[in-house]
């Protein structure tokens, strides 16, 4: 009895705890993990998913990261959307945040150039990323990875290499968060047209290809040279020349020279000009033996022509002249070629070598010991009465060579 005792007890405030929890959402090919993101409480680094003791008070949860292509959601759990949280003694709170990979985007942009008459548009060149069709200028979402941009090309157009974020062959790598653009241009190919001229001179003509100017529409062109024109309808033509006949146009042109050029075409048209056969006249010609020749008129005949004497055994080459009515071949005659006369002592043979454009229609040869052939003992110069005298004995003889020659008129 009489005690006076005291009992004591202590109450200690319990330190609040805060845990930050991270979720990484990789739905578009991202590869980041929780470890790529640093958790922070009021700027101090802390591990994820581990309670941290803090005095009672106000705090802010946050994070830092070096990876790209991710978006952070709002803070949740016991934190408000901005990551703010109030800790009271004894609290044990958890704040959560989710980071999601951002789907990459790829845009293909097509340009069509029609500066040579082409009419196609962007829609005529379907675009693809891998096997996925896409629309020019529209961004398309793809998972992270490697892709190839391509297109359906069209005849008459050349495609550039791919540019922008694609390699020249269209390959491109997309990482999460990327927004890339690739470009390609299709340019219409200027059509080409070649006109080819052939000149045939098989009748004595002398004109060449250059004497027949060629045109496409009103544009002068050179034979055999390709020329560029815009797509459209054209007409090939030429300047014709007298004495030549032109064929119809052939090759890629219609017979009248019309031709349609589409972009990318490389067409050729042909035309031939052939010299016309010369108008021919029939003329009488005689062999002129130079110093051996005596005009028929000196024998009292009204016809012109020459008897040649003395002809000894041997070979002679004489000029043949047509129309030499005055017996002067240099002033009134036309040289038509040569005749070779061979006298072997018993007979005479002749061989004609006429100029180009001259042809031999008929010929008569007299060879004998009289100045002129005899018809019933009467001298004559009528070609139908010519003969080669029998039994020539190798002495000097007379020779007349007559020919009917076809020659160019005029």
């Amino acid at each position: 009895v009489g005690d006076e005792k005291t009992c004591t007890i202590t109450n200690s405030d319990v330190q609040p705890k805060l845990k930050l929890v991270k979720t990484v959402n990789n739905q578009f090919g991202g590869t980041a993990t929780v470890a790529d993101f640093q958790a922070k409480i009021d700027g101090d680094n802390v591990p994820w998913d581990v309670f941290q003791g803090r005095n009672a008070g106000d705090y802010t949860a946050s994070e830092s990261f070096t990876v790209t292509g991710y978006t952070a959601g709002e803070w949740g759990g016991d934190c408000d959307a901005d990551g703010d949280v109030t800790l009271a003694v004894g609290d044990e709170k958890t704040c959560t945040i989710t980071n999601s990979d951002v789907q990459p985007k790829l845009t293909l942009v097509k340009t069509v150039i029609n500066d040579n008459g082409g009419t196609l548009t962007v829609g005529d060149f379907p675009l693809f990323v891998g096997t996925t069709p896409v629309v020019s200028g529209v961004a398309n979402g793809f998972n992270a990875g490697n892709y190839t941009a391509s297109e359906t090309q069209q005849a008459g157009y050349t495609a550039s290499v791919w540019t922008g974020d694609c390699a020249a062959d269209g390959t491109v790598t997309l990482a999460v968060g990327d927004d890339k653009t690739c470009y390609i241009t299709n340019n219409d190919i200027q059509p080409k047209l070649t006109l080819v001229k052939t000149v045939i001179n098989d009748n004595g003509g002398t004109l060449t290809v250059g004497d027949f100017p060629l045109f496409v529409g009103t544009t002068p062109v050179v034979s055999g040279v390709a020329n560029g024109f815009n797509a459209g309808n054209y007409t090939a033509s030429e300047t014709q020349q007298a004495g030549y006949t032109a064929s119809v146009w052939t090759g890629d042109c219609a017979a009248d020279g019309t031709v349609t050029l589409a972009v990318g075409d490389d067409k050729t048209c042909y035309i031939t000009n052939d010299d016309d056969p010369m108008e021919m006249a029939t003329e009488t010609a005689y062999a002129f033996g130079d110093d051996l020749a005596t005009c028929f008129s000196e024998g009292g005949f009204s016809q012109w022509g020459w008897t040649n004497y003395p002809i000894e055994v041997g070979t002679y080459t004489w000029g043949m002249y047509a129309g030499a009515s005055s017996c002067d071949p240099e002033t009134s005659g036309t040289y038509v070629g040569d005749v070779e006369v061979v006298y072997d002592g018993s007979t005479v043979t002749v061989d004609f070598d006429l100029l180009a454009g001259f042809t031999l229609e008929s010929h008569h040869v007299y060879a004998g010991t009289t100045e002129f052939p005899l018809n019933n003992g009467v001298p004559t110069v009528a070609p139908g009465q010519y003969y080669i005298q029998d039994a020539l004995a190798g002495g000097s003889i007379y020779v007349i060579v007559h020919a009917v020659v076809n020659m160019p008129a005029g």
Side-chain angles (χ1 to χ4, degrees), residues 192-196 250-253 259 261 266-270:
K192 293 180 180 180
L193 179 60
T194 304
L195 304 188
V196 177
T250 60
D252 294 311
C253 283
V259 60
L261 297 178
D266 190 347
K267 292 187 173 182
T268 303
C269 300
Y270 303 88

Side-chain angles (χ1 to χ4, degrees), residues 348-367:
V348 171
T349 59
V350 296
D351 184 24
F352 292 90
D353 183 16
L354 300 186
L355 298 177
F358 296 80
T359 60
L360 183 66
E361 184 169 305
S362 64
H363 72 281
H364 304 87
V365 178
Y366 165 70

Side-chain angles (χ1 to χ4, degrees), residues 241-263:
Q241 300 291 348
Y244 284 76
T245 299
S247 69
V248 297
W249 286 92
T250 60
D252 294 311
C253 283
D256 62 355
T258 55
V259 60
T260 297
L261 297 178
V263 289

Side-chain angles (χ1 to χ4, degrees), residues 53-365:
R54 290 290 188 273
N55 289 344
D58 296 324
Y59 295 90
T60 299
S62 63
E63 67 175 353
S64 65
F65 50 89
T66 57
V67 293
T68 59
Y70 285 78
T71 56
E74 295 180 342
W75 286 91
D78 294 312
C79 284
D80 66 11
D82 296 325
D84 296 328
V85 61
T86 298
L87 296 179
V89 291
D91 280 349
E92 191 173 289
K93 291 187 174 182
T94 300
C95 296
T96 61
I97 192 169
T98 298
N99 291 76
S100 298
D101 57 349
V102 179
Q103 187 178 34
K105 292 181 180 180
L106 180 60
T107 304
L108 303 187
V109 177
K110 155 76 59 185
T111 299
V112 178
I113 299 175
N114 287 314
D115 56 355
N116 290 300
T119 58
L120 299 188
T121 64
V122 169
D124 294 308
F125 299 83
L127 296 169
F128 301 88
V129 176
T131 59
T132 302
V134 298
V135 177
S136 177
V138 177
N140 296 271
F142 296 94
N143 285 356
N146 297 318
Y147 295 88
T148 300
S150 64
E151 68 165 2
T152 299
Q153 296 190 13
Q154 299 291 349
Y157 286 75
T158 56
S160 69
V161 297
W162 287 91
T163 59
D165 294 312
C166 283
D169 62 354
T171 55
V172 61
T173 298
L174 297 179
V176 290
D178 278 348
D179 191 348
K180 292 186 173 182
T181 302
C182 300
Y183 303 88
I184 193 169
T185 298
N186 293 79
N187 196 344
D188 60 343
I189 301 169
Q190 187 177 40
K192 293 180 180 180
L193 179 60
T194 304
L195 304 188
V196 177
K197 155 76 59 184
T198 299
V199 178
I200 299 174
N201 288 315
D202 56 355
N203 289 300
T206 59
L207 298 187
T208 65
V209 169
D211 294 309
F212 298 83
L214 295 169
F215 300 88
V216 176
T218 59
T219 302
V221 298
V222 177
S223 177
V225 177
N227 297 271
F229 297 93
N230 284 356
N233 298 316
Y234 295 88
T235 300
S237 64
E238 67 165 2
T239 299
Q240 297 190 14
Q241 300 291 348
Y244 284 76
T245 299
S247 69
V248 297
W249 286 92
T250 60
D252 294 311
C253 283
D256 62 355
T258 55
V259 60
T260 297
L261 297 178
V263 289
D265 278 349
D266 190 347
K267 292 187 173 182
T268 303
C269 300
Y270 303 88
I271 193 170
T272 298
N273 293 79
D274 194 348
D275 60 341
D276 298 329
M278 289 183 287
E279 186 176 342
M280 303 298 286
T282 300
E283 288 283 354
T284 293
Y286 285 93
F288 178 67
D290 297 313
D291 293 340
L292 305 178
T294 299
C295 185
F296 292 167
S297 62
E298 294 183 27
F301 296 99
S302 60
Q303 298 98 318
W304 72 275
W306 299 279
T307 182
N308 299 280
Y309 178 85
I311 308 304
E312 310 292 345
V313 172
T315 300
Y316 301 82
T317 301
W318 299 330
M320 294 290 298
Y321 291 89
S325 58
S326 65
C327 277
D328 184 353
E330 293 185 0
T331 60
S332 63
T334 300
Y335 172 68
V336 298
D338 293 326
V339 61
E340 182 182 79
V341 178
V342 179
Y343 174 37
D344 64 5
S346 62
T347 191
V348 171
T349 59
V350 296
D351 184 24
F352 292 90
D353 183 16
L354 300 186
L355 298 177
F358 296 80
T359 60
L360 183 66
E361 184 169 305
S362 64
H363 72 281
H364 304 87
V365 178

Side-chain angles (χ1 to χ4, degrees), residues 20 37-48 50 52 54 60 62-65:
L20 305 185
F37 301 84
Q38 177 61 57
K40 296 177 180 291
I41 298 176
D42 278 354
D44 296 328
N45 292 344
V46 296
W48 293 105
V50 176
Q52 305 293 316
R54 290 290 188 273
T60 299
S62 63
E63 67 175 353
S64 65
F65 50 89

